[in-house]
Amino acid sequence: MSRFEIVNIEQGSDLWLKFRQSKITASQVPILFSESPYQNLYDLLAEKIIGTKPETNTYKLALYEKGFAAERAGRLYAKEHYGIDLNPAVVVSLMHKHLMASLDGFSDDRKTIFEAKYMGKEKLSLVKTGIIPKHHDIQIQAQLLVSGAEKCIYFATDPEGESAIAEISPDIALFEEIAIKAAKFMDVVGFIKSGSKQKRVRS
């Protein structure tokens, strides 16, 4: 039995943004653990309930482009050193209905996923010693849970073009925590939405 379904949606598109409003994405899972440096639970609730979107500005857009460049470089590296093609994919879990993942890469045999990160020199030096930022690790574990893949090729690069790569294996204990936290959070979202609907009907 397949653990996932690939959805034919372009990452970053309006349809993708609408689709993910009813799901917890792998990149949002660190928020549930209070480990995200970008967003908190209140903001995530607002996004899921009323559709608010994180603000963008010139600085953030520049970072996004650097992130896309890291993805392209990482996929080329994986092709050269691992001999596998890793193509972007939007994946939803069939085992955990609240979870989805927008993968930077997914191998044709569905055994390997790919995640690229652009970061500062200090963080990259830690990655080189095998220390993965906590929020990155949680995100990747969520991706592994959704996809059922056997490993993740994690590619990190800094502003100077230095890079590091690591292979990350599934953490079954963390899988259980992710599934529980995602289900509880979406239960709260559903409860608040149902309450709002009842108020509108009464009024």
Side-chain angles (χ1 to χ4, degrees):
M1 177 181 176
S2 178
R3 297 178 59 176
F4 66 88
E5 178 183 3
I6 294 180
V7 183
N8 188 24
I9 299 177
E10 182 182 355
Q11 295 186 34
S13 66
D14 289 340
L15 184 59
W16 175 78
L17 290 171
K18 184 178 180 179
F19 183 79
R20 65 187 242 142
Q21 188 176 343
S22 63
K23 304 284 186 180
I24 294 291
T25 70
S27 61
Q28 292 170 333
V29 170
I31 302 170
L32 306 182
F33 286 77
S34 299
E35 290 288 351
S36 173
Y38 312 113
Q39 200 175 14
N40 58 41
L41 278 171
Y42 178 83
D43 293 333
L44 186 59
L45 269 174
E47 179 179 331
K48 300 304 178 186
I49 293 169
I50 61 178
T52 59
K53 300 176 183 178
E55 293 183 5
T56 58
N57 52 43
T58 303
Y59 175 73
K60 285 186 177 181
L61 290 174
L63 282 180
Y64 293 156
E65 182 51 44
K66 290 175 180 177
F68 296 146
E71 290 177 28
R72 293 190 291 270
R75 281 192 286 266
L76 285 173
Y77 182 97
K79 176 66 174 177
E80 293 173 0
H81 292 78
Y82 291 84
I84 54 177
D85 291 311
L86 294 160
N87 298 305
V90 177
V91 182
V92 294
S93 174
L94 298 178
M95 311 293 290
H96 306 283
K97 64 180 182 178
H98 301 300
L99 291 171
M100 67 173 283
S102 298
L103 305 173
D104 291 343
F106 203 5
S107 63
D108 290 339
D109 64 5
R110 307 310 185 204
K111 293 182 178 180
T112 305
I113 61 173
F114 169 74
E115 179 64 26
K117 294 296 185 184
Y118 177 81
M119 61 184 62
K121 192 173 184 64
E122 289 187 9
K123 285 187 178 179
L124 184 67
S125 65
L126 292 175
V127 173
K128 288 181 176 180
T129 65
I131 300 175
I132 310 299
K134 184 66 174 179
H135 58 293
H136 290 177
D137 185 52
I138 293 172
Q139 176 186 347
I140 290 167
Q141 291 301 327
Q143 293 172 340
L144 289 167
L145 172 60
V146 171
S147 67
E150 296 176 359
K151 67 178 179 181
C152 174
I153 296 175
Y154 172 82
F155 180 85
T157 186
D158 71 6
E160 296 180 8
E162 289 288 320
S163 61
I165 197 161
E167 291 188 16
I168 299 176
S169 300
D171 182 335
I172 303 304
L174 192 51
F175 279 7
E176 294 179 5
E177 287 188 68
I178 291 169
I180 291 170
K181 286 180 181 292
K184 286 183 176 179
F185 180 84
M186 292 307 290
D187 281 348
V188 171
V189 170
F191 178 79
I192 294 174
K193 281 186 172 182
S194 64
S196 297
K197 287 179 181 178
Q198 290 176 4
K199 285 182 180 179
R200 286 197 295 270
V201 170
R202 290 171 184 169
S203 61

